[in-house]
PDB file of all heavy atoms in Angstrom:
ATOM      1  N   GLY A 156      -1.710 -22.112  -8.733  1.00  0.00           N
ATOM      2  CA  GLY A 156      -1.397 -22.684  -7.477  1.00  0.00           C
ATOM      3  C   GLY A 156      -0.058 -22.046  -6.891  1.00  0.00           C
ATOM      4  O   GLY A 156       0.296 -22.415  -5.633  1.00  0.00           O
ATOM      5  N   ILE A 157       0.551 -21.190  -7.619  1.00  0.00           N
ATOM      6  CA  ILE A 157       1.816 -20.607  -7.139  1.00  0.00           C
ATOM      7  C   ILE A 157       1.582 -19.059  -6.924  1.00  0.00           C
ATOM      8  O   ILE A 157       1.903 -18.467  -5.910  1.00  0.00           O
ATOM      9  CB  ILE A 157       3.003 -20.764  -8.021  1.00  0.00           C
ATOM     10  CG1 ILE A 157       3.306 -22.268  -8.112  1.00  0.00           C
ATOM     11  CG2 ILE A 157       4.234 -20.047  -7.638  1.00  0.00           C
ATOM     12  CD1 ILE A 157       4.440 -22.605  -9.044  1.00  0.00           C
ATOM     13  N   VAL A 158       1.012 -18.367  -8.010  1.00  0.00           N
ATOM     14  CA  VAL A 158       0.838 -16.952  -7.981  1.00  0.00           C
ATOM     15  C   VAL A 158      -0.482 -16.518  -7.560  1.00  0.00           C
ATOM     16  O   VAL A 158      -0.787 -15.280  -7.435  1.00  0.00           O
ATOM     17  CB  VAL A 158       1.127 -16.368  -9.308  1.00  0.00           C
ATOM     18  CG1 VAL A 158       2.608 -16.725  -9.730  1.00  0.00           C
ATOM     19  CG2 VAL A 158       0.199 -16.779 -10.459  1.00  0.00           C
ATOM     20  N   THR A 159      -1.401 -17.371  -7.249  1.00  0.00           N
ATOM     21  CA  THR A 159      -2.724 -16.985  -6.797  1.00  0.00           C
ATOM     22  C   THR A 159      -2.956 -17.610  -5.332  1.00  0.00           C
ATOM     23  O   THR A 159      -2.274 -18.539  -4.897  1.00  0.00           O
ATOM     24  CB  THR A 159      -3.837 -17.734  -7.626  1.00  0.00           C
ATOM     25  OG1 THR A 159      -3.714 -19.059  -7.651  1.00  0.00           O
ATOM     26  CG2 THR A 159      -3.881 -17.096  -8.992  1.00  0.00           C
ATOM     27  N   ALA A 160      -3.724 -16.828  -4.534  1.00  0.00           N
ATOM     28  CA  ALA A 160      -3.938 -17.147  -3.152  1.00  0.00           C
ATOM     29  C   ALA A 160      -4.614 -18.467  -2.993  1.00  0.00           C
ATOM     30  O   ALA A 160      -5.625 -18.794  -3.561  1.00  0.00           O
ATOM     31  CB  ALA A 160      -4.730 -16.031  -2.456  1.00  0.00           C
ATOM     32  N   PRO A 161      -4.088 -19.347  -2.162  1.00  0.00           N
ATOM     33  CA  PRO A 161      -4.790 -20.611  -1.899  1.00  0.00           C
ATOM     34  C   PRO A 161      -6.147 -20.303  -1.173  1.00  0.00           C
ATOM     35  O   PRO A 161      -6.141 -19.458  -0.299  1.00  0.00           O
ATOM     36  CB  PRO A 161      -3.846 -21.340  -0.913  1.00  0.00           C
ATOM     37  CG  PRO A 161      -2.523 -20.599  -1.034  1.00  0.00           C
ATOM     38  CD  PRO A 161      -2.770 -19.210  -1.456  1.00  0.00           C
ATOM     39  N   PRO A 162      -7.209 -20.968  -1.602  1.00  0.00           N
ATOM     40  CA  PRO A 162      -8.550 -20.639  -0.965  1.00  0.00           C
ATOM     41  C   PRO A 162      -8.559 -21.056   0.510  1.00  0.00           C
ATOM     42  O   PRO A 162      -8.001 -22.098   0.881  1.00  0.00           O
ATOM     43  CB  PRO A 162      -9.470 -21.516  -1.757  1.00  0.00           C
ATOM     44  CG  PRO A 162      -8.544 -22.547  -2.386  1.00  0.00           C
ATOM     45  CD  PRO A 162      -7.263 -21.959  -2.609  1.00  0.00           C
ATOM     46  N   VAL A 163      -9.166 -20.279   1.294  1.00  0.00           N
ATOM     47  CA  VAL A 163      -9.310 -20.569   2.757  1.00  0.00           C
ATOM     48  C   VAL A 163     -10.664 -20.191   3.247  1.00  0.00           C
ATOM     49  O   VAL A 163     -11.185 -19.136   2.775  1.00  0.00           O
ATOM     50  CB  VAL A 163      -8.135 -19.861   3.525  1.00  0.00           C
ATOM     51  CG1 VAL A 163      -8.283 -18.318   3.473  1.00  0.00           C
ATOM     52  CG2 VAL A 163      -8.148 -20.318   4.932  1.00  0.00           C
ATOM     53  N   HIS A 164     -11.239 -21.022   4.061  1.00  0.00           N
ATOM     54  CA  HIS A 164     -12.589 -20.728   4.529  1.00  0.00           C
ATOM     55  C   HIS A 164     -12.776 -21.387   5.980  1.00  0.00           C
ATOM     56  O   HIS A 164     -11.774 -21.944   6.507  1.00  0.00           O
ATOM     57  CB  HIS A 164     -13.683 -21.256   3.628  1.00  0.00           C
ATOM     58  CG  HIS A 164     -13.444 -22.704   3.190  1.00  0.00           C
ATOM     59  ND1 HIS A 164     -13.664 -23.747   3.929  1.00  0.00           N
ATOM     60  CD2 HIS A 164     -12.869 -23.165   2.020  1.00  0.00           C
ATOM     61  CE1 HIS A 164     -13.288 -24.877   3.311  1.00  0.00           C
ATOM     62  NE2 HIS A 164     -12.743 -24.519   2.205  1.00  0.00           N
ATOM     63  N   LEU A 165     -13.902 -21.304   6.517  1.00  0.00           N
ATOM     64  CA  LEU A 165     -14.069 -21.800   7.907  1.00  0.00           C
ATOM     65  C   LEU A 165     -13.698 -23.276   8.027  1.00  0.00           C
ATOM     66  O   LEU A 165     -13.205 -23.689   9.103  1.00  0.00           O
ATOM     67  CB  LEU A 165     -15.504 -21.460   8.427  1.00  0.00           C
ATOM     68  CG  LEU A 165     -15.813 -20.030   8.676  1.00  0.00           C
ATOM     69  CD1 LEU A 165     -17.284 -19.864   9.061  1.00  0.00           C
ATOM     70  CD2 LEU A 165     -14.950 -19.450   9.838  1.00  0.00           C
ATOM     71  N   GLY A 166     -13.980 -24.020   6.967  1.00  0.00           N
ATOM     72  CA  GLY A 166     -13.750 -25.436   7.056  1.00  0.00           C
ATOM     73  C   GLY A 166     -12.327 -25.903   6.539  1.00  0.00           C
ATOM     74  O   GLY A 166     -12.064 -26.989   6.378  1.00  0.00           O
ATOM     75  N   SER A 167     -11.441 -24.853   6.296  1.00  0.00           N
ATOM     76  CA  SER A 167     -10.137 -25.265   5.779  1.00  0.00           C
ATOM     77  C   SER A 167      -9.305 -25.920   6.785  1.00  0.00           C
ATOM     78  O   SER A 167      -9.434 -25.760   8.095  1.00  0.00           O
ATOM     79  CB  SER A 167      -9.435 -23.860   5.405  1.00  0.00           C
ATOM     80  OG  SER A 167     -10.058 -23.299   4.311  1.00  0.00           O
TER      81      SER A 167
END
Side-chain angles (χ1 to χ4, degrees):
I157 298 177
V158 301
T159 53
V163 63
H164 46 79
L165 288 176
S167 294

